[in-house]
C-alpha cells in the first residue's frame, strides 16, 4: 500500500499545470480530490512519476447559479450539498451528492475528478448526461467545450486529451420533477445500478424526460429511448414499463462481485421505475 516514488507539484495557475503536462507528457497526471488516483497508486496499479495537485488554483471551486449553473472542477461533493442556491436551482445535484460514498469521501471528492476519470461506477457522469451538461477543458491549444453525452468513449477513456485539464461543468438550470435513485451493497460502495431522471410536465402529461443510468455499461448510459417512451403520457404503469424496457435495450452490464448480468438488469429496472415515480411526484 505504498506508491512508487513520484515528484509532487502544487502549481498556482492553469498555465503552470499545462507547462508541467507538456514537459513530462504521459508521465504526468493531474489530481483533483485523489480518491480514484491515490488508491491506484498505492496498489501499484498506476505509476505516476509526476503528480500535479490542483488544490491551490483559485477559481476552480466556484459555484455560479443562474439560468446557467457553473460548477468548478475542484468543488467538493460536500460543497454541493451545503450550497443553498444550488440546492434550490438544481436539487438533483444535492440528492445525488448525498448518495456518493460517505462524509469523509465527500469532503475531498470533487466534481471534476468524478466526471473526468471516466470510471463507469462514478455517480456524476450519468447525472451530467441527464442534465445535458457541458464540460470545459483547457489545453495547449486553448479552451474547448465537450458535451457530457459525447465525453465518455469507454471505461476510463474520455474525450479529454492527456494534456488537457477539465476546469468546470455547466448546464441549464433544470425545472420540474427530479430523482436520483441508487442501489448499492453497502454505504460507501459504487452503485449496482443508479438512475438519474429529470421531468417537465404540461397539462398533466409528460412534456420532456431525461434519463441516464450508472454502472450498467462501460460508460454511463443516456437512454434517449427511455425518455421518449414517457413523453405525452401521464406516466402511468404502462408508460413506466415502456421506459424500463427501452432502457434495458440500451445497457450492457457485465458480471462482477455486485452480481450476475440477470440480477443487474433486474435491479436496473427496479431502480429506474422508482426514480421515474419519485420524479413524477415532484413535478
Amino acid at each position: 500500500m505504498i506508491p512508487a516514488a513520484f515528484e509532487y507539484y502544487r502549481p498556482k495557475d492553469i498555465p503552470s499545470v499545462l507547462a508541467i503536462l507538456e514537459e513530462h507528457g504521459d508521465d504526468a497526471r493531474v489530481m483533483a480530490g485523489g480518491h480514484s488516483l491515490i488508491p491506484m497508486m498505492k496498489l501499484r496499479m498506476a505509476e505516476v512519476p509526476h503528480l500535479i495537485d490542483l488544490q491551490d488554483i483559485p477559481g476552480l471551486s466556484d459555484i455560479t447559479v443562474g439560468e446557467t449553473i457553473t460548477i468548478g472542477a475542484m468543488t467538493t461533493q460536500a460543497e454541493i450539498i451545503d450550497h443553498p442556491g444550488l440546492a434550490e436551482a438544481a436539487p438533483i445535484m444535492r440528492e445525488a451528492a448525498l448518495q456518493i460514498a460517505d462524509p469523509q469521501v465527500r469532503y475531498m471528492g470533487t466534481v471534476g475528478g468524478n466526471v473526468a476519470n471516466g470510471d463507469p461506477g462514478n455517480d456524476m457522469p450519468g447525472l451530467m448526461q441527464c442534465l445535458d451538461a457541458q464540460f470545459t477543458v483547457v489545453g495547449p491549444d486553448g479552451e474547448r467545450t465537450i458535451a457530457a453525452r459525447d465525453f465518455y468513449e469507454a471505461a476510463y477513456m474520455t474525450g479529454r486529451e492527456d494534456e488537457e485539464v477539465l476546469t468546470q461543468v455547466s448546464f441549464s438550470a433544470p425545472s420540474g420533477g427530479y430523482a436520483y435513485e441508487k442501489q448499492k451493497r453497502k454505504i460507501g460502495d459504487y452503485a449496482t445500478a443508479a438512475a438519474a431522471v429529470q421531468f417537465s410536465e404540461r397539462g398533466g402529461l409528460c412534456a420532456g424526460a431525461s434519463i441516464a443510468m450508472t454502472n450498467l455499461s462501460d460508460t454511463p448510459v443516456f437512454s434517449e429511448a427511455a425518455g421518449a417512451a414517457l413523453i405525452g403520457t401521464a406516466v402511468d404503469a404502462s408508460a413506466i414499463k415502456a421506459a424500463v424496457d427501452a432502457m434495458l435495450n440500451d445497457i450492457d452490464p457485465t458480471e462482477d462481485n455486485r452480481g450476475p448480468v440477470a440480477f443487474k438488469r433486474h435491479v436496473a429496472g427496479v431502480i429506474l421505475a422508482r426514480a421515474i415515480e419519485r420524479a413524477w411526484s415532484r413535478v
Side-chain angles (χ1 to χ4, degrees):
M1 294 295 288
I2 299 175
F6 60 90
E7 294 292 328
Y8 176 78
Y9 305 83
R10 199 155 174 150
K12 305 296 183 182
D13 53 44
I14 289 293
S16 299
V17 175
L18 298 179
I20 299 168
L21 287 172
E22 186 173 9
E23 179 182 357
H24 297 290
D26 292 343
D27 286 340
R29 288 282 300 274
V30 168
M31 180 181 73
H35 279 292
S36 296
L37 182 58
I38 296 301
M40 292 180 69
M41 292 174 64
K42 286 183 174 180
L43 292 170
R44 303 291 180 104
M45 296 174 66
E47 186 173 343
V48 182
H50 300 273
L51 184 65
I52 309 166
D53 192 339
L54 301 179
Q55 294 278 351
D56 282 354
I57 299 178
L60 291 187
S61 297
D62 294 347
I63 298 175
T64 304
V65 177
E67 290 186 6
T68 297
I69 295 171
T70 302
I71 303 174
M74 292 298 289
T75 303
T76 66
Q77 311 297 344
E79 288 168 334
I80 286 174
I81 292 166
D82 293 339
H83 194 285
L86 182 61
E88 182 177 353
I92 194 172
M93 288 292 299
R94 186 174 191 273
E95 183 159 282
L98 281 166
Q99 298 181 62
I100 294 175
D102 51 47
Q104 293 92 327
V105 169
R106 294 195 291 263
Y107 278 117
M108 286 296 293
T110 64
V111 171
N114 202 279
V115 302
N117 190 37
D119 187 337
N122 283 349
D123 292 273
M124 285 289 161
L127 176 58
M128 291 298 149
Q129 290 190 337
C130 176
L131 293 170
D132 197 14
Q134 305 292 309
F135 299 158
T136 300
V137 298
V138 180
D141 297 327
E143 183 178 286
R144 66 189 181 107
T145 301
I146 310 172
R149 294 174 187 174
D150 298 328
F151 189 72
Y152 300 98
E153 300 169 351
Y156 302 102
M157 296 181 64
T158 71
R160 180 184 62 84
E161 301 294 337
D162 289 343
E163 66 274 15
E164 291 179 319
V165 179
L166 190 147
T167 58
Q168 67 180 32
V169 304
S170 60
F171 51 89
S172 298
S175 60
Y178 66 91
Y180 190 79
E181 189 80 23
K182 179 177 181 178
Q183 194 278 337
K184 52 189 177 181
R185 297 174 301 176
K186 59 182 181 179
I187 295 297
D189 193 17
Y190 290 104
T192 301
V197 177
Q198 190 76 44
F199 272 131
S200 60
E201 175 266 346
R202 187 181 302 113
L205 300 178
C206 174
S210 181
I211 292 173
M213 306 298 294
T214 289
N215 215 15
L216 293 161
S217 292
D218 64 353
T219 66
V221 174
F222 173 69
S223 182
E224 185 175 0
L230 296 168
I231 295 174
T233 76
V235 192
D236 54 13
S238 62
I240 293 173
K241 182 180 184 304
V244 168
D245 289 344
M247 175 275 295
L248 291 173
N249 286 329
D250 287 340
I251 63 173
D252 185 24
T254 57
E255 181 172 350
D256 58 18
N257 57 3
R258 292 178 181 82
V261 170
F263 173 74
K264 289 186 172 185
R265 291 177 64 83
H266 172 73
V267 172
V270 171
I271 290 299
L272 178 56
R274 287 178 183 172
I276 291 171
E277 290 170 357
R278 191 148 55 89
W280 188 244
S281 73
R282 290 166 162 172
V283 296

